[in-house]
Amino acid sequence: LSSATPALLPKRDDDLGTFVHAIYRAYRYDFRNYTEGSMRRRLRNALTYFQEPNLDRLRIRVLEEPQRFTELLRFLTTPTTDMFRDPIYFRALRQVIRQLDPRDTLKVWIPCCGTGEEVYSLAILLFEEGVLDRTLMYATDPNAESLRAAEAGVYTTDRLVAFKANYELSGGQSSLTDYYSAGYGNAVLDRELKRAIVFFDHSMVSDDAFAMVQLVSCRNVLLYFARELQERALAVLSDSLMPSGYLGLGLKESLRSTTFESQFVEIDRDARLYQKP
Ligand SMILES: C[S@@+](CC[C@H](N)C(=O)[O-])C[C@H]1O[C@@H](n2cnc3c(N)ncnc32)[C@H](O)[C@@H]1O
C-alpha cells in the first residue's frame, strides 16, 4: 500500500461497509469507495451466483475459501468491453500521436486493461501511425483472470462485427482482418502486436505509479469510484505522466469537479483527452 496515499476509511458501518473492509484486509482489493448503488447491484448478482442469503454469509464464505475470491471479482469488476470502443476517442488519439516527436521512444500505460480489447486497439493504432516499434505499452489490471485473457488476446468471432464497425469509425487505415487469425470460432490477435506490450498486476487504488509515460489511457473504471477514490486514482495517473503527457478517460468520465481539472488542459472535450502542461 502506498505510504503517500492515506487509507480511506469506510464511510458506512453496515453490511456493505463490513464486507468491503474485510475484502480489503484479506485480499488487498480496495472497494471501500466504490459507489454504493453499483456495489449493491453487483453484490446482489454475486449473492444469487454463490447462493448465499446475505452479505455476511458471503463475506464468511469468501474469507474461508480464498479460491472463491477470483469468482467474486467477476462481479465486482467489469472486465468486458469492445475493441475500438468509443471510436471518437481513438480518432482523437490518432491526431495526438501524429503530433509527437517522431524521434522519441513512446511509453504508454493502460491501467485498467481488463481483457485487453483496448490494449490491442491502441497497439493497432500505434502500428498504423508507424510508431509501434519504438513504443513500450504497460497493460495492467488488478484482476488476474482478466489479465490472463488480455495476454492471450483471443476473442470469439461473434464479436468481430462490432469490433470492425468501431475500427472503421475510429479512422482505421486498413482492415481489422489484417491483425488477427481466425479459426474454430476464435480470433487470435497478431503476435507482432503483443511484442510491444507488457502485462502485469497493478491496482491504481492501492499501488503507486511505477513509470513515467507520455500517454495514460484509463477508460471506464473511474466511473465506478466515489469521489475520494477517483482523486486518489487520478493522483497515481498524474504522477505517471511526463510533462506534456496525455491522459485519456472514458466518455462517461471527466476531470470536471476534481482537483485535477485545473492541472490539465482539456484538448478534446468530446473524446475526454487531457494534457499535462
Ligand atoms: C470496464 S473495464 C475497462 C477496460 C478498458 N479500460 C476499456 O475501457 O475497454 C474496467 C476494468 O477496470 C479494472 N479495475 C477495477 N478496479 C481497478 C483498480 N482499482 N485499479 C485498476 N483497474 C481496476 C477492472 O478489473 C476492469 O478490468
Side-chain angles (χ1 to χ4, degrees):
L1 183 66
S2 155
S3 53
T5 45
L8 302 171
L9 294 172
K11 287 192 214 92
R12 302 176 352 272
D13 186 18
D14 59 10
D15 59 338
L16 182 59
T18 308
F19 184 87
V20 292
H21 203 67
I23 294 292
Y24 178 63
R25 277 208 310 269
Y27 297 111
R28 204 181 58 98
Y29 272 75
D30 194 348
F31 294 104
R32 293 176 299 174
N33 283 266
Y34 280 49
T35 53
E36 179 173 0
S38 123
M39 278 302 276
R40 290 229 179 251
R41 197 173 51 249
R42 287 150 187 268
L43 285 168
R44 259 201 303 279
N45 293 335
L47 288 175
T48 309
Y49 171 83
F50 286 101
Q51 300 185 336
E52 293 293 356
N54 56 48
L55 285 185
D56 288 339
R57 290 278 296 275
L58 181 63
R59 170 172 52 83
I60 292 162
R61 173 115 171 253
V62 171
L63 294 185
E64 279 176 355
E65 303 171 29
Q67 71 279 14
R68 294 286 181 198
F69 180 62
T70 314
E71 287 169 57
L72 177 69
L73 269 185
R74 283 188 215 140
F75 294 91
L76 296 186
T77 62
T78 311
T80 52
T81 179
D82 275 330
M83 282 187 79
F84 294 95
R85 174 184 190 176
D86 306 322
I88 183 182
Y89 173 74
F90 290 92
R91 276 190 106 85
L93 213 47
R94 268 184 203 276
Q95 301 308 320
V96 163
I97 301 295
R98 285 175 190 166
Q99 283 159 28
L100 296 177
D101 187 335
R103 291 162 305 185
D104 281 351
T105 304
L106 186 60
K107 285 193 182 146
V108 178
W109 180 26
I110 301 102
C112 359
C113 71
T115 40
E117 291 85 338
E118 180 187 1
V119 187
Y120 292 111
S121 309
L122 279 170
I124 290 170
L125 186 154
L126 294 167
F127 172 77
E128 293 186 350
E129 294 306 320
V131 297
L132 188 65
D133 56 357
R134 56 183 173 82
T135 300
L136 177 58
M137 301 174 74
Y138 302 110
T140 62
D141 200 277
N143 183 334
E145 207 175 322
S146 296
L147 267 182
R148 272 196 297 277
E151 204 157 1
V154 178
Y155 305 107
T156 52
T157 44
D158 57 339
R159 302 180 63 196
L160 291 173
V161 175
F163 289 1
K164 282 179 186 165
N166 284 348
Y167 169 74
E168 277 156 29
L169 289 169
S170 77
Q173 289 168 358
S174 172
S175 162
L176 195 61
T177 50
D178 293 346
Y179 302 108
Y180 61 79
S181 41
Y184 304 104
N186 283 322
V188 185
L189 269 295
D190 196 323
R191 202 174 298 150
E192 285 305 304
L193 297 173
K194 294 179 186 168
R195 276 163 40 133
I197 312 167
V198 190
F199 292 92
F200 59 99
D201 174 355
H202 183 278
S203 166
M204 301 183 296
V205 164
S206 49
D207 299 326
D208 281 332
F210 58 87
M212 294 302 278
V213 302
Q214 289 100 324
L215 168 66
V216 171
S217 185
C218 180
R219 312 188 61 230
N220 307 303
V221 65
L222 290 178
L223 75 165
Y224 301 119
F225 294 174
R227 180 64 67 202
E228 291 149 281
L229 196 55
Q230 284 184 359
E231 291 279 341
R232 195 180 185 191
L234 283 169
V236 175
L237 304 184
S238 176
D239 284 350
S240 311
L241 274 175
M242 293 178 185
S244 307
Y246 294 90
L247 171 66
L249 301 179
L251 296 196
K252 294 196 190 107
E253 299 156 335
S254 87
L255 293 183
R256 211 167 307 132
S257 313
T258 72
T259 28
F260 294 88
E261 185 172 15
S262 57
Q263 297 175 28
F264 280 82
V265 179
E266 189 176 64
I267 58 164
D268 189 322
R269 176 188 293 250
D270 294 337
R272 299 295 197 266
L273 263 175
Y274 302 86
Q275 186 173 25
K276 206 171 171 174

